[in-house]
Structure formats: C-alpha cells, structure tokens
Amino acid sequence: MKLAEFKKAGHWPTLLAAFLYFDISFMAWVALGPLIVYIARDMNLAVNEKFTLVAIPVLAGALLRVPMGILADIIGAKRTGIIAQLVVIAATASVWHFGLTSKLAIELFGLALGVGGASFAVALPQASRWYPPQYQGVVMGIAGAGNMGVVLDTLLAPTIAEHWGWQAVFGCLLIPMLMVLAYYAVAAKDAPGERKKVSLQAYGALLKDSDSRWFMFFYFITFGGFVGLANALPLYFTVQYHVSGVAAGMLVALIVAFGSGSVPSAA
C-alpha cells in the first residue's frame, strides 16, 4: 500500500478524529478499573461489590452500542459522536467536582461511562465510510488502535491517584477529553452521499445471517475478554497478590498493550 494513494483515497482528518475520539472514550470507559481500589477504600466495599461495579461500564458500553449505532445512521456519526462525548464529559466533570459518595453514585457513573464504550459503533463506521474496500482493513486498524487508551489509563491513573487523590484523575482526564472534542467538532466529517434510511427489519436481518452470528460470538469472546480483563485485573492483582495500585496498573498496562498492539497488525 502506498501512503500517498492512501491519503488521497479518503479523509485523513476524519480518520484521525475518529481515532482520538475512540482513544479518549476508551480511557473514560475503563477508568473505574484501576481506580476502584482507591474509591472502594473510602466506602469499605466488599470484594464482590467492587467487581460488580467495574463490570457496569463494560456491560453498559456493550448494550449502548446498538442504539448508538442506530442513532449514527439516523442523525449522522459526527452529531452522535459529539453528543456522546458531551455526556461522558459532563459525568466526568461532575465526579471530579463532587466525588462519588455512594454505591448508587458509582453505578450511575458507570452507566454514563458506558456511553464512552459505545463509541466503537460510531468512530469506526465514520472513518471506514470514507475509504474504498481495499483500504478497509488498515482504516479499521488505525481507528481501532484507540484501544491503547486502556493502556494509558491503567498506567497513569493509579500514580495520579496516589499523589493527588482519585478525583484528580478525572480532572486530568477532562483536559484531553475537551481537546479531542474540540478537534473532533472541527475536523471530523460525515462521508459524502445521502444517508439511506434503515428499517428495523434490515437490522433484524443481520441476526438471521449465520456469519453475523458467528462474528458476534467471536467478538464477544475476544474483545469482550480484552475489555473485561482490563477492567478487572487491577482489582484482581491488588486483592489476590496484595500489590499496590500503581504496581497493578503497570502490570495491567503491559498486558493490555499486547492486545491493543495486535489490533492494527491484525487488520
């Protein structure tokens, strides 16, 4: 593949914006994983409650991808992406300022972070629609490399929490989130051409296709396992092996780096 031809084939500012949107959304999505050790310490939560809480953003993100994808088809990927980022930014700013004072507050915050996890259903189609079939693999790989947001989260969040408290992590997270939103709002474009209305029957037809069901199953096992472990491993290392939050974050960052790095190479 020639780089010059690839740059002319689509719209690289949208590809970059999709990557950044996906990356920062993933950082927000898995933020509870490395921080639940510190948050739970203030509330004296049981171990099983901790694992349940870190599972909420993962499940919410998985379920919200369906309505987010449908919304992107109806009003456009860019509008959907901006709305989604504003929701996550508002929730993050609230926690930074007011904190989390109850288990219910953590659960509601986890649901809001799930909107960040649903960014997958917006960012990847937005980027891919700009490019012809021969470039779909590399485009999906570049946009999908936003998984590395998990690495940055697990690596940096515990250190910030140790020095300035866990609320400061969300304050720091707001800075790149606002910067990405500004760039996304300016640079991202929906692919040219009229959006065709998609009926509910058309969505249902996908579930009847055996190949679609197999792809969903493999995705459930592979990517679902990646995100689930990324969220749960910091807690597992601290509970099972009694390592510090910083040490657990470094271990998990090393593990998920291999998963994130395999995305573009696999594509």
Side-chain angles (χ1 to χ4, degrees):
M1 183 190 71
K2 295 182 179 180
L3 181 59
E5 294 179 358
F6 175 70
K7 290 178 68 175
K8 293 178 181 179
H11 191 250
W12 70 264
T14 296
L15 179 57
L16 178 59
F19 162 75
L20 292 173
Y21 164 41
F22 191 31
D23 186 62
I24 199 65
S25 295
F26 255 58
M27 288 184 69
W29 189 27
V30 301
L32 278 183
L35 292 178
I36 194 65
V37 177
Y38 303 95
I39 297 172
R41 189 182 298 166
D42 296 342
M43 301 183 187
N44 296 318
L45 297 175
V47 173
N48 62 318
E49 291 178 309
K50 297 176 188 177
F51 279 104
T52 300
L53 290 172
V54 298
I56 290 176
V58 179
L59 293 173
L63 295 174
L64 287 172
R65 288 183 182 189
V66 177
M68 283 273 285
I70 294 175
L71 185 62
D73 286 338
I74 295 174
I75 68 172
K78 181 172 182 176
R79 290 181 181 177
T80 305
I82 290 175
I83 292 171
Q85 289 181 73
L86 288 173
V87 170
V88 179
I89 287 172
T92 302
S94 176
V95 172
W96 170 53
H97 189 269
F98 299 106
L100 294 166
T101 56
S102 67
K103 183 181 175 182
L104 177 60
I106 301 175
E107 292 170 341
L108 293 175
F109 182 50
L111 292 175
L113 293 181
V115 177
S119 62
F120 198 96
V122 180
L124 268 68
Q126 181 179 27
S128 67
R129 286 170 183 162
W130 275 98
Y131 291 85
Q134 65 267 29
Y135 295 125
Q136 287 300 304
V138 68
V139 168
M140 298 290 276
I142 292 172
N147 288 335
M148 70 175 60
V150 182
V151 181
L152 296 174
D153 225 2
T154 54
L155 186 62
L156 300 177
T159 301
I160 297 173
E162 287 281 354
H163 287 84
W164 297 287
W166 60 263
Q167 280 182 244
V169 176
F170 296 107
C172 293
L173 184 59
L174 279 173
I175 298 172
M177 290 174 75
L178 290 170
M179 293 174 64
V180 169
L181 175 60
Y183 177 77
Y184 183 88
V186 173
K189 306 290 182 185
D190 288 332
E194 184 180 356
R195 286 194 302 271
K196 297 181 180 180
K197 293 184 179 179
V198 183
S199 66
L200 293 177
Q201 290 181 340
Y203 289 115
L206 289 174
L207 299 176
K208 298 179 181 179
D209 181 74
S210 60
D211 288 338
S212 295
R213 292 196 298 269
W214 275 112
F215 278 123
M216 284 187 281
F217 172 74
F218 290 134
Y219 184 76
F220 170 78
I221 298 297
T222 56
F223 188 74
F226 170 80
V227 177
L229 285 173
N231 253 21
L233 279 177
L235 186 57
Y236 172 77
F237 284 134
T238 55
V239 172
Q240 189 68 24
Y241 297 103
H242 307 290
V243 302
S244 68
V246 174
M250 293 179 66
L251 289 170
V252 176
L254 179 63
I255 293 170
V256 299
F258 284 99
S260 298
S262 67
V263 173
S265 61

